[in-house]
Amino acid sequence: MPSSVRLNKARHRFKALSSTKNGEELADVIRLDSLYTERVLSSVLREDGSWDAVNEQEGRGVWDEVAIAHFQAAAAYQERNFTEAYKYQLASYNAFLRLFRNMSRWGIQALFSLCKDLCDVAKRADKQQPVSGGVQSSKIEEATRAINQGFSLCMTDREPQLDLSRKWGTYHMANILFALYQQLGAQNLCSSMISAIKASELPELSCFPMCDQVTFRYYRGVLAFRKENYKSAKDDLLFALEHCHRDSYNNKTRILIYLAPVLLAEGSMPASRLMRRYPSIKAVYGEIAKAARVGNVRRFDELLKDREQQYVAMGTFLALERSRRVALRQLLRKIYLINGGNSRVPFQQLCDGFVAAGLERPEIAEMEAILADMIFNGYIKGYLAHDHGIAVLSKQQPFPPLGSQT
């Protein structure tokens, strides 16, 4: 069969799948690595002008643009010419968006396939594209803007019949954008997108597929973590961990990178069984968590200093630094118990306890500042009697359970 004829048959198949609203099959054949695409390309001789022969035909519609650009992208991808593949993939995607405006829910799977491939070739093209004059245009940025259009078409759909609405693609598209925004370091765009979703008339997040829920709440939890909103971060990251597929080891590891410091700041850590299953998390946080738990402030400070660059690179340093209060709380409680649990504790006695724990002796004013901070943040119940040089602790639970702090 002449290659141009094979291409014509292929583009007619795209239109036929659209006519029957067979979104699942369309989503499969429109992938760059689909078996159907590979079979079509295997019969196309790229040197015989097949692309020109098809492009010059009259009466071409938008589906023809989608299909031909798709196969041109796939051909370039196979030849590892990712810059050319990106150009055609973007053309195929943009043509599809013109059709997608008039589609209902059936078309969202094909949109997802196109977005996935567009992201892939954009990343590869950026790596392959030579730097000109010290400046390199980013295909990822351009692809992100294009994918944002697809996100908007899903979120703002006005289909009155909810089960037919493109709105059901909103969270999946949001998750694609989350990943791109994080790669671009555009945290502000993540916040703007969440605000836009809140303001839209979407079904509850719990109505969407669990995979979309888990991914969305992971990204939203990471965003809250970076804004130091640890309560919201904990809620989202715990949900993501508990509902992530049990065999998704890598995804659970990514969740725990941020969840573990949040739990540590409360004086807890994921269960020992879970930590054993994720040795990379235990290697990063195990020692510092143990130091905080037993009140070994000296060891905690040493670990935080030694691994500062690693924690900064991971984006978890500030959360771990906040966990120092847990270590201090545990140390102060030890000193309190060793000295008989008297509710009136002299500042000098606490300073002596710090020295016994291997720390430099703090000034009285410094000890008062530490105690004031601990009382303010709920780690200790009591008040300071400055004139008498003592801390007056509550007779009932002077050290509230870890995790009860607000």
Side-chain angles (χ1 to χ4, degrees), residues 328 331-332 335 350-360 362 367 370:
L328 284 169
L331 175 57
L332 289 167
I335 298 170
L350 295 171
C351 292
D352 292 342
F354 271 46
V355 173
L359 299 169
E360 289 186 12
M367 179 56 69
I370 291 171

Side-chain angles (χ1 to χ4, degrees), residues 210-253:
M210 184 55 70
C211 58
D212 289 347
Q213 293 183 50
V214 167
T215 307
F216 182 81
R217 294 195 67 169
Y218 162 73
Y219 282 120
R220 190 173 67 180
V222 171
L223 184 63
F225 179 92
R226 289 176 175 167
K227 290 183 174 181
E228 298 183 52
N229 184 351
Y230 296 119
K231 184 179 185 306
S232 295
K234 177 186 173 183
D235 291 343
D236 278 334
L237 293 171
L238 269 178
F239 178 93
L241 182 67
E242 290 168 358
H243 294 85
C244 188
H245 193 280
R246 65 180 183 180
D247 295 329
S248 297
Y249 181 89
N250 290 337
N251 288 340
K252 287 190 174 184
T253 299

Side-chain angles (χ1 to χ4, degrees), residues 175-199:
N175 292 335
I176 294 174
L177 286 172
F178 266 134
L180 292 170
Y181 289 154
Q182 286 206 357
Q183 184 174 342
L184 294 171
Q187 181 173 300
N188 61 316
L189 295 179
C190 293
S191 300
S192 298
M193 182 172 65
I194 290 174
S195 297
I197 289 174
K198 283 182 180 177

